[in-house]
Amino acid sequence: MSEKYDVVVIGSGPSGYVAAIRAAQLGLGTAVVEEWVDDKGKTTLGGTCLNVGCIPSKALLDSSQKYTEARDRFAAHGIVVGEATVDVAAMLKRKEKIVDQLTGGIAACSSTTGCP
Ligand SMILES: Cc1cc2nc3c(=O)[nH]c(=O)nc-3n(C[C@H](O)[C@H](O)[C@H](O)COP(=O)(O)OP(=O)(O)OC[C@H]3O[C@@H](n4cnc5c(N)ncnc54)[C@H](O)[C@@H]3O)c2cc1C
C-alpha cells in the first residue's frame, strides 16, 4: 500500500502531535509515524510525556500528595480517617487510566473525524 501526504511527522510526542494537528488544520494531508509500543503490545501515541513522563509522574505525585495529606494534615482540620495506607496496585491502575484517556484522545484527533 502506498499513500501520498503533504506532511509526514515522525514521532507523536508533544512536538509531533501538535505539529501534525496544526498541519491538518491548515488543510495539509498529514501522517504521523510512531514506533512506541506499550506493555500490551499496542502502538501508542503521546511519546514520553503522555506515556512515561509528565502525565504518569503527575498522576502518581497527586496520589502521593493525597496520601500524605490524609496521614499528616487531616487531623489538624478535625478530619479523622484512621490509619492511611497505600494500595500501590490501585494507584497504578488510576495512573494507567489517565494515560489511556490522554493517549486515546490523541488517537481520536488523528482519526479522520478530527479532535473530539
Ligand atoms: C519523568 C518525566 C517527567 C516529565 N515531566 C514533565 C513535565 O511535568 N512538564 C514538561 O513540560 N515536561 C516534562 N517532561 C519532559 C517531556 O516528557 C518532554 O519534554 C517531551 O516528551 C518532549 O516531547 P517530544 O515530542 O519532543 O519527544 P517525545 O515525547 O520523546 O516523543 C518522541 C516520539 O517520537 C517517537 N520516535 C522517535 N524516533 C522515531 C522513529 N524513528 N520512528 C517513529 N517514531 C519515533 C518516539 O517513540 C516518541 O513517541 C518529563 C519527562 C520525564 C522523563
Side-chain angles (χ1 to χ4, degrees):
M1 185 179 90
S2 78
E3 292 184 32
K4 291 193 174 180
Y5 294 94
D6 300 309
V7 177
V8 177
V9 177
I10 299 175
S12 67
S15 317
Y17 78 74
V18 171
I21 288 170
R22 187 65 186 136
Q25 286 171 339
L26 294 170
L28 298 167
T30 307
V32 176
V33 180
E34 179 53 70
E35 65 179 3
W36 195 300
V37 177
D38 68 15
D39 52 8
K40 293 160 207 136
K42 189 176 140 229
T43 299
T44 184
L45 306 179
T48 303
C49 185
L50 272 74
N51 288 287
V52 294
C54 333
I55 299 303
S57 66
K58 273 48 174 194
L60 292 173
L61 275 174
D62 188 27
S63 298
S64 307
Q65 183 177 13
K66 284 183 169 36
Y67 165 68
T68 56
E69 282 180 359
R71 188 190 63 186
D72 302 334
R73 306 220 171 110
F74 278 10
H77 292 269
I79 301 168
V80 180
V81 293
E83 187 186 358
T85 58
V86 176
D87 179 343
V88 175
M91 204 181 267
L92 292 174
K93 192 173 169 190
R94 173 182 175 274
K95 182 262 297 179
E96 289 302 327
K97 189 176 171 194
I98 291 169
V99 168
D100 286 348
Q101 280 172 342
L102 294 183
T103 56
I106 296 177
C109 277
S110 64
S111 73
T112 49
T113 53
C115 299

